[in-house]
Structures are given as structure tokens and as C-alpha cells.
Amino acid sequence: MNLLRSPYLSPEHLEWQDTLRRWVAREITPFVNDWDEAGEFPRDLYRRAAEIGLLGLGYPEEYGGIPADRFMSMIAGRELARCGAGGVPASLLSHTIGAPPILKAGSDELKARVLPGILAGEKISALAITEPNGGSDVASIRTKARREGDHYVVSGEKTFITSGMRADYYTVAVRTGGPGRDGISLMVIEVGSPGFARTPLKKMGWWASDTATLHFDEVRVPVANLIGEEGSAFRTIMLNFNDERISLATTACAFARVCVDEAAAYARERITFGKPLSSHQVIRHKLVDMAQRVEVTEAFIERLVWALEAGDNPVARICMAKNQATQTMAYCASEAVQIFGGAGYMRGAAVERIYREVKVNAIGGGAEEIMKDLASRQMGL
């Protein structure tokens, strides 16, 4: 599908887009079917992603990062979606939700100790907020951490954790104080800590992304691993959710575009009743309806990325953009499978895989109903 030139993207942005597009086509796309069936992808992919600058986007040079604006990250989300498999970028970029709290609120010592390995692709970072009894209701988390001298002792569980089985560093929300948001803290818990166990989870989609439940049984964590001050984590987590939601919106919309492109290409090649499927008006109308939704959603997201770069905090619109993008993804994935017919129901087709992955995008970072409620409260409705 021919794309309009974006007024937000500079030549440097477009150069990065071209570089990453070629890298994804070479390093990821040919292997996604095998990786999905295997339920994992090679750990070496982290190192290769670091070599082209993907993992270090937006991080200071002193930790091995590459200073970059949010449009560079937006482009990364779009280009990685071209592989047609959400599980690979979900785990490959799990540090984009696990590491920012460390960068923004961690001590200099903690940042210097943890971030360089993550940005070099040598260590894997994961975020652990969700619990078996609650997801986006951060103020009600139950995992507890009590202070004993130079350590915290952590007990509780986290679940649905992306990169949960292979991460080295976990940014974990714990309750160090009383009830409510003021009792919440963040700390880094390292793999291999005594009393820390992980259980793998099987999912509808994102097969190549390992997902786990984490178990903390009196795990001793050095006080030096605390991120920020005790009881100060709630705001950090909320700001982290903003970034996660705009990222989810970006990738959901990008997967919708993949569906448009795949369906259009198939419709041109598939012969029905003696002529290409695309020659049927009903199919062309389906494709235009799909493309229309993608174009509108992309424009909305780009405007929000611009607003964030300008220092605004458009929480309500970020929530609406996430819903808009996941609804667009759901519509386009369904229509693409319909255009493919039986071929779209077969494993290995990108549209089949994307169709299975619709719901994780709609649920992750806050379900659609939560996004609507948060947006309405932010808008004073």
C-alpha cells in the first residue's frame, strides 16, 4: 500500500526505518514460523539487536545507549511488526518496560550495574507488576517486602510476565508500606536469588515470547536494588504505563497494516471464478475499509508521539489511541483471514498468527474497559 510522507519524520528517521526494515527482513522474518512453533527464539538475537542500536534507543550513551526521540522508537515498533509475529518483538523489547523505571528513578550505582548489560543484549530485563488477583489495579498489589537490615525479604507472586522465564533482571512492584498507592515500591530482583522460582505459561498467541508466573518465597533482595524511595513507585509505574500503551498502540496498528498488505497481495494472486480475487468489488471494498482504519489510527498515534515529545502528558488520548489501534487490528485481522479463506486458517500464515494475537494487545497494558474508564476520568466525564 502506498504510504503518505509523514510530516513528523526527518531524513534521519527514514534512514533508521530503512536500516531496521532490512534487518528485520534478514534476521527475523524468515524464522518466525519455526520460532513460534518452538516457543522461543535464539538468545543471540538480543546481541544482534543491540549491535544495530535497537536495544539502546533513547538511553544515555554512558550506559551504552543511543539518545533518540520517541519517533525512533515508534519506527522500531512499526518495523518489527513487519515480521508478522508479535511474540518476537514482545520479548526482544521487554526491556522497554522493565528498564525505564531503573533509568528514571534508580540510583547511579544501580543504573551503572544493571543497564549496560541490558542495552548490550547480554542481560534480559522484564517488568513484574501483574498478580494472580489483579492486573492494572496497581494500588492493590499484595506482594510484600519487609526490611531486614541491608535487605528486603519479598514474598508473593506475579503472573503473565513477558520474558518471565529467561530474564536476568526483574523490575518488581512490591508493598513496603500500608494499603493503597503510597505503600508501593519498585526493586530489581535478580534471577538465581534463593526462593525465587518461575513457572512457564502457555498462551493463545505470542508463542515465541516466553511468559511466566513468578514465585517469591522469602527472597532476600539488597536494599541497593530499591528503585527510588520507598513508597514512591506508583507515579513511576503510571508513567511507565503511558509509554507501554503508546508502544502497544503503535505495534497493534502496524500489525493491522501487515494484514492489509498480506490480504491485498493474496487477493491479487488468488484466482476465483476465472479471475483474481481482487477484481471482485466486495474484496476491494474490504481492503479499502481496512486501509482507512489504519491510516486514521497511524495519524492519531503520530500526533500523540509529537505531543509527548513536546512535553505534554495526554493520558486520556493515549488510552483512546490504544483502544483505537487494537480495534483496528482486530478488524483488519478478521477481514484478512476472511479474504484468505481456508488458507488464512492454516498455521504459518501471518494473518492467522496476527488474528490469534489480537486479544493480547487489547488486554496488555490495561484492558479496553480500563482504558475507557481512565480516559473518562481524565477528561472529567
Side-chain angles (χ1 to χ4, degrees):
M1 186 169 62
N2 293 330
L3 302 180
L4 289 172
R5 183 186 300 273
S6 170
Y8 301 104
L9 302 186
S10 68
E12 289 75 20
H13 290 126
L14 296 177
E15 182 180 355
W16 167 238
Q17 177 178 279
D18 182 62
T19 297
L20 191 53
R21 184 169 300 181
R22 287 184 279 109
W23 185 83
V24 170
R26 182 180 68 250
E27 300 285 350
I28 299 180
T29 305
F31 313 108
V32 290
N33 287 333
D34 291 339
W35 292 347
D36 236 27
E37 295 294 339
E40 62 180 3
F41 58 87
R43 191 177 177 106
D44 183 62
L45 189 63
Y46 291 90
R47 179 188 59 78
R48 285 179 274 152
E51 288 175 351
I52 66 164
L54 178 59
L55 301 191
L57 278 182
Y59 287 83
E61 292 179 351
E62 63 184 298
Y63 304 119
I66 301 174
D69 64 16
R70 293 173 184 270
F71 286 104
M72 289 291 198
S73 297
M74 181 193 76
I75 289 168
R78 286 179 177 177
E79 294 305 316
L80 285 167
R82 285 180 172 270
C83 75
V88 177
S91 273
L92 185 62
L93 298 184
S94 63
H95 77 293
T96 61
I97 55 174
I102 302 172
L103 177 65
K104 294 173 182 176
S107 67
D108 290 341
E109 184 278 330
L110 182 63
K111 288 185 282 190
R113 172 160 49 94
V114 171
L115 291 179
I118 295 171
L119 303 185
E122 298 167 356
K123 301 289 185 179
I124 298 172
S125 169
L127 178 69
I129 303 292
T130 304
E131 297 186 345
N133 293 311
S136 299
D137 186 8
V138 176
S140 297
I141 67 166
R142 300 181 181 182
T143 298
K144 293 183 178 180
R146 67 178 188 275
R147 178 81 179 259
E148 289 188 357
D150 293 334
H151 288 80
Y152 288 98
V153 181
V154 179
S155 295
E157 286 188 326
K158 300 292 180 177
T159 196
F160 310 140
I161 307 306
T162 301
S163 293
M165 291 302 297
R166 57 165 53 183
D168 302 284
Y169 299 121
Y170 297 82
T171 300
V172 184
V174 297
R175 184 166 299 284
T176 53
R181 63 182 62 185
D182 293 336
I184 306 298
S185 301
L186 282 169
M187 60 183 59
V188 174
I189 299 181
E190 300 181 41
V191 69
S193 300
F196 178 23
R198 301 170 290 184
T199 303
L201 300 172
K202 292 185 177 182
K203 313 176 295 299
M204 178 190 298
W206 279 12
W207 294 350
S209 171
D210 68 287
T211 308
T213 294
L214 312 180
H215 312 273
F216 305 103
D217 183 9
E218 298 285 284
V219 177
R220 296 182 66 81
V221 180
V223 170
N225 284 24
L226 182 69
I227 300 173
E229 301 294 328
E230 270 195 24
S232 67
F234 187 83
R235 176 171 170 77
T236 301
I237 294 169
M238 292 302 105
L239 291 174
N240 206 48
F241 270 144
N242 272 352
D243 288 335
E244 181 181 7
R245 287 162 183 162
I246 201 72
S247 176
L248 284 165
T250 298
T251 55
C253 185
F255 281 120
R257 184 174 288 282
V258 171
C259 288
V260 176
D261 292 343
E262 291 284 315
Y266 182 81
R268 286 191 294 267
E269 297 171 1
R270 176 79 165 110
I271 304 299
T272 60
F273 302 102
K275 57 184 179 180
L277 187 61
S278 60
S279 67
H280 297 281
Q281 185 183 62
V282 66
I283 299 300
R284 296 198 305 274
H285 285 191
K286 281 180 179 292
L287 291 169
V288 169
D289 284 342
M290 294 161 67
Q292 176 181 309
R293 285 166 168 80
V294 172
E295 292 287 344
V296 169
T297 306
E298 279 190 352
F300 189 10
I301 292 168
E302 287 192 350
R303 180 186 171 197
L304 287 176
V305 173
W306 176 85
L308 287 165
E309 278 293 290
D312 294 340
N313 185 30
V315 175
R317 287 171 175 79
I318 289 173
C319 293
M320 290 189 285
K322 179 180 179 292
N323 281 355
Q324 170 71 20
T326 54
Q327 289 166 9
T328 297
M329 180 183 178
Y331 179 86
C332 291
S334 178
E335 291 293 84
V337 170
Q338 191 71 21
I339 290 170
F340 268 70
Y345 195 66
M346 297 297 103
R347 291 248 286 267
V351 296
E352 179 269 339
R353 189 163 48 242
I354 294 171
Y355 186 81
R356 280 191 283 105
E357 295 178 350
V358 165
K359 280 301 178 184
V360 69
N361 286 273
I363 294 170
E368 185 172 305
E369 295 79 7
I370 293 172
M371 294 299 92
K372 290 179 180 179
D373 188 58
L374 180 56
S376 68
R377 285 187 279 114
Q378 289 287 323
M379 297 170 71
L381 301 178

